[in-house]
Amino acid sequence: MAVRKLAPEDMQPQSFVLSPETEAFADKEIAKYPPGRQASAVIALLGKAQEQAGGWLPRKAIEAVAAKLDMPVIRVMEVATFYTMFNLEPVGKYFIQFCGTTPCVLRGAGDIKKVLERRIGDQNHVTPDGNFSWLEVECLGACSNAPMVQINDDYYEDLTTENFEKLLDDLAAGRPVKIGSQIGRNRSEPFEAVNTLQDPALYDGSLVGAWRKRFEEQAKAAETAEPAAAMASIPQEVKAAKPTAGRAIESPAADTPAERAKEGETPINPVDRKEAADPSTATKGQSHTEAEPRPAPQSGKSYVANPSKEGEAVPSSPTTPVAGTPPAQAETRRDGSESKPDVIVDKDNKSS
């Protein structure tokens, strides 16, 4: 945000006193707030003081508002320099705020700017007669009627170089001017023939509640259509079959043992039995039915000899069979025929 400063001292008036009208306005605004909260009226009072000063805020006007609200001058100064709606330098009788953002530029705002520069001069320059000054500002929110300008408190829209030149001439001569669209548009409606929203039913009230009725009809149709569609997908022979309590209906085409037995055939399809017995289709790997025994189960425990009192023997740790050891060899080791002697730990933590 650009730094906003007060006008140079040679532009500042020597004094500023709130007029009776401004005093009455201030009292009315202050009364809207609880006692001690009169600072809440600072923006309203600054706006009224700017109007009294001719469209801008001199230093003395800011100080007068601070005195009226019993506020430090710096606090009121902060508000005045923050909000761009407060002009800190003198402006013309007709202060023109020119919108130069994208929507207006696309609609010819560049030509309007050239008219301002030719007839008035640079921004913030007041014409010698005191009538005009202008400033380029951000979007003013009338994009549908671009290009446009704001002159004092009013909008002037749908500008062209021709009608804008005439507007400035009329203002300078004191003639009445038309506020709003300069091409006869009513607010923001289409300028030429209206091609949308022409159905009278949109305005005569006949459609009130129609959307709800339509949704209810659609929901009812969906509820009745879904069961019908589901039944249509079931074969006719299944529909005719008598369902068994507690069981799902089986399709006659299913090759189940019960269905085969019912038809007088073997419950297991011979083709399936043959495929199951074929070694070539079996899963590769060693089976538990083969002659070679399986490895003995492994123990997840860990046996560690701990120091004990003198003469006390530490229980021998069971011998864990090596992975892949046949059960017969493992049993021999459990009997002690091939096992090592028990470990004895003395007080000096020496084993023998």
Side-chain angles (χ1 to χ4, degrees), residues 12-339:
Q12 298 287 345
Q14 296 300 317
S15 63
F16 182 91
V17 180
L18 297 180
S19 66
E21 180 185 358
T22 304
E23 286 280 0
F25 175 85
D27 294 338
K28 183 178 179 181
E29 290 297 315
I30 293 173
K32 295 179 179 179
Y33 304 99
R37 301 292 183 178
Q38 68 274 10
S40 300
V42 62
I43 291 181
L45 266 65
L46 284 175
K48 192 65 175 178
Q50 176 170 274
E51 179 183 331
Q52 177 184 332
W56 72 292
L57 279 176
R59 180 190 298 274
K60 294 298 183 179
I62 296 174
E63 294 173 354
V65 170
K68 179 67 177 179
L69 296 176
D70 194 21
M71 293 176 61
V73 175
I74 186 60
R75 297 306 181 198
V76 183
M77 192 78 70
E78 289 171 348
V79 177
T81 55
F82 179 81
Y83 291 101
T84 57
M85 62 185 179
F86 299 125
N87 301 313
L88 304 180
E89 295 183 2
V91 296
K93 177 181 178 181
Y94 301 107
F95 175 52
I96 303 172
Q97 298 182 67
F98 162 74
C99 180
T101 45
T102 303
C104 282
V105 170
L106 294 176
R107 295 278 293 173
D111 297 332
I112 304 302
K113 184 175 183 179
K114 291 177 181 178
V115 174
L116 290 170
E117 292 173 339
R118 175 170 51 83
R119 295 196 51 160
I120 301 175
D122 295 333
Q123 297 187 53
N124 297 316
H125 169 72
V126 181
T127 56
D129 58 8
N131 279 335
F132 296 103
S133 67
W134 72 281
L135 177 68
E136 183 171 348
V137 297
E138 296 297 326
C139 181
L140 292 172
C143 308
S144 59
N145 295 2
M148 58 83 62
V149 298
Q150 177 180 341
I151 303 178
N152 294 345
D153 296 329
D154 299 317
Y155 278 14
Y156 297 84
E157 307 157 352
D158 295 316
L159 298 177
T160 63
T161 54
E162 293 78 11
N163 62 33
F164 188 52
E165 292 268 12
K166 183 178 183 304
L167 175 63
L168 296 180
D169 291 338
D170 291 341
L171 290 173
R175 292 190 291 267
V177 295
K178 184 180 184 302
I179 298 172
S181 175
Q182 301 299 299
I183 59 174
R185 188 203 302 251
N186 182 15
R187 297 179 176 85
S188 298
E189 70 178 9
F191 170 59
E192 297 178 344
V194 178
N195 298 318
T196 60
L197 303 178
Q198 296 182 359
D199 188 352
L202 297 172
Y203 314 102
D204 60 12
S206 60
L207 295 182
V208 175
W211 62 272
R212 182 184 296 275
K213 181 179 179 181
R214 183 173 71 253
F215 289 162
E216 292 175 351
E217 291 176 351
Q218 292 176 353
K220 185 176 181 180
E223 292 176 358
T224 56
E226 289 179 0
M231 289 298 295
S233 63
I234 301 176
Q236 187 63 32
E237 55 271 19
V238 176
K239 294 179 182 179
K242 184 177 180 181
T244 304
R247 295 185 59 188
I249 300 175
E250 294 180 351
S251 172
D255 188 11
T256 61
E259 187 65 25
R260 294 181 61 80
K262 183 179 178 180
E263 298 294 334
E265 302 177 5
T266 57
I268 304 300
N269 192 330
V271 177
D272 297 338
R273 186 186 296 276
K274 181 179 179 180
E275 290 180 355
D278 187 358
S280 63
T281 61
T283 304
K284 301 301 180 181
Q286 185 176 354
S287 173
H288 69 277
T289 59
E290 297 178 2
E292 185 177 352
R294 290 180 293 174
Q298 302 298 309
S299 173
K301 297 181 179 180
S302 175
Y303 297 89
V304 180
N306 296 322
S308 60
K309 296 180 181 179
E310 183 177 0
E312 182 178 353
V314 178
S316 60
S317 60
T319 303
T320 302
V322 181
T325 304
Q329 297 179 14
E331 193 65 29
T332 303
R333 290 185 178 183
R334 293 193 187 97
D335 294 340
S337 59
E338 297 183 6
S339 61

